[in-house]
Amino acid sequence: MSTRDVELLRGDARPSLGSSGRRWGEDGIRALLLVCACVSVLTTLGIIIALVQPAIEFFREVNLIDFITGTRWAPLFKPSSFGVLPLISATLLLTFWAAVIFIPFGLGTAIFLSEYARPGVRRVLKPALEILAGIPTVVFGFFALVFFTPFLQDIGLGLETFNIVGAGVVIGVMLIPTVASISEDAMAAVPQDLRAGAYALGATRFHVATRVVVPSAFSGIIASYILAISRAIGETVIALIAAGTIARITFNPEEGAASMAAFIAATGVGDVPTGSIEYKTIFAVGLTLFVFTLVMNIFSTRLVRRYREVYE
Amino acid sequence: MLKGDDMETAQATEPAVRLDRVEPAIADRSDPAAVAAVQVPPVFQVTGLSVTYGSHLALADVTMDIRSKAVTAFIGPSGCGKSTFIRCFNRLNDLIPSARVTGQVLYHEDDLYSPTVDPVEVRKLIGMVFQKPNPFPKSIYDNVAFGPRVLRRKDELDGRVEMALRRAALWDEVKDRLKTNALSLSGGQQQRLCIARCLAVEPDVILMDEPASALDPISTSAIEDLMHELKTDYTIVVVTHNMQQAARVAEMTAFFSVDVGEDGQRTGVLVEYDETQTIFTTPADPRTEGYVTGRFG
Ligand SMILES: Nc1ncnc2c1ncn2[C@@H]1O[C@H](COP(=O)(O)OP(=O)(O)O)[C@@H](O)[C@H]1O
Ligand SMILES: [Mg+2]
């Protein structure tokens, strides 16, 4: 028995398992990190409160059913009308045209990068995509207005200066990198074993991509689409610059129409008096937009969970 | 090292003696079919095959024949290039950008590495089962139907799937749940599913890279039984690091080892290739003897 054992037995020098004093540094860091985490939560709460308060006041003056089902949006005219459907329809149409672009091109880019591109090509293409993702949306907006729409007019389409299809397609192009990058990450997570297994059965590269890699990465691909749809719904500057500010229900993509976000931006920078009904419309539409995005997010988490493939 | 031709002569002159010396574990190979198989032309003739990964020579100058409708085993320490070598038979090394294969592999009479050969066509004839069971995250049915579907052999698909699962000795266990996800099967069942998936393509050769090393003993013996079953119709090449397994299932065994160069580069070489019983009882090369007795002792 060593002296240490004897000491332990006697209980003289029994080591303490309790804290050897408060670690102030540790507590300080913890508090700091908590503040960081709280900033976004508090901001979200603040936004909701700031939205809901004036929105409630708005709905004291305007019937909720009239707001949701009304087909005429004319808050600044007399007699005014507060049917939000024109703004919603323009928003969904822009999203539709964006999706027509980003769904195939985003996935195609991801498949190309993950399954076809040689390392050299990848090294060039990936940064190029990142540059595309880094271009400010206002640049895309002007690109749509002064280049893309005139181009479509030149090839014989009867577009108005402000139009849905030009804005929607450019929003779609803007979102290609988002879809490609998230989808490609999901594809990179597909085990190499599965690819080898498919090739060993005599599958071509195309079969491996479409029948093994894409289905296995499906949840990630869906997630990328949902994120892109959310961003298309909320896209403001491109819609404002290229699709205009006229609120109307139209299914003709050659015409322009104001989306929810475009309306909010246009009215917000205009000189509507604080507290007026016109001012409160901003918040009512903002709340509607918020509900849309929230529903998309809930929907996406559900869908992603449902399609998540388990690779052991 | 015995070349294919020398071996055939040796086999022809004294087959009875050879078979008398068989260990109990290898005895079931004494059926005449196996002996007769020696006269059939080889399925593969490998000549001077080397594989490099970038600048690393991983496998050097392998020359051997693979016998038809028999099991050929590759044994050797890990890292000696067994997987690299077996992947040469179905051009799977093509998927590794840094890999470069030189030398010749004749499949029946055709050069597998001739520029006119399409690797996709090669893999339809030469199937492969991997070390870790790799079923697709799809239903059991869709796994087996994968090959026939991509090869556009969709007539009688149900029949093909059933046949393949029966041949892989899995049908009775899964026939009531063909639509469930393959990942819900046990490891051993998953591996038999991978074999079924390979059989559904109706290959000529089945390559197996340590097909049982990730499995429990019962599943392992199920896979070994399956190899016995299948070798009447298929040529089987199997990598294993389990020597008893090689002794149990294989007619022919190749022993690979690693040569370490002055620069420390580790290169796989074929040390000895012969009848399995010769490799295990009277190997010609001391390295084989050391490895075999070391592992058995
Ligand atoms: N994909 C690869 N890329 C680079 N080197 C590899 C690759 N696969 C195997 N090697 C190298 O080739 C050698 C042989 O490996 P392998 O064929 O897997 O041996 P074994 O199957 O006998 O264990 C090893 O040195 C290994 O590092
Ligand atoms: Mg290996």
Side-chain angles (χ1 to χ4, degrees), chain B residues 77-84 86-87 131 209-210 239 241:
Chain B
S78 108
C80 67
K82 307 181 294 295
S83 297
T84 299
I86 202 170
R87 286 198 299 261
Q131 174 167 7
D209 190 353
E210 305 202 26
V239 172
H241 61 223

Side-chain angles (χ1 to χ4, degrees), chain A residues 143-213:
Chain A
F143 173 77
L145 183 67
V146 306
F147 179 80
F148 189 60
T149 291
F151 168 75
L152 291 181
Q153 287 165 336
D154 285 349
I155 62 170
L157 298 179
L159 297 183
E160 294 179 1
T161 305
F162 299 104
N163 62 84
I164 297 270
V165 67
V169 164
V170 169
I171 293 173
V173 171
M174 177 193 77
L175 291 170
I176 289 173
T178 308
V179 171
S181 152
I182 298 175
S183 296
E184 199 224 338
D185 284 349
M187 291 181 195
V190 174
Q192 204 57 36
D193 286 8
L194 290 187
R195 292 190 183 84
Y199 279 116
L201 293 168
T204 59
R205 203 174 276 270
F206 183 71
H207 284 137
V208 174
T210 54
R211 294 179 186 229
V212 176
V213 177

Side-chain angles (χ1 to χ4, degrees), chain B residues 47-65:
Chain B
T47 318
L49 186 93
S50 299
V51 183
T52 49
Y53 294 108
S55 62
H56 172 203
L57 179 61
L59 187 69
D61 195 23
V62 176
T63 297
M64 73 180 336
D65 291 353

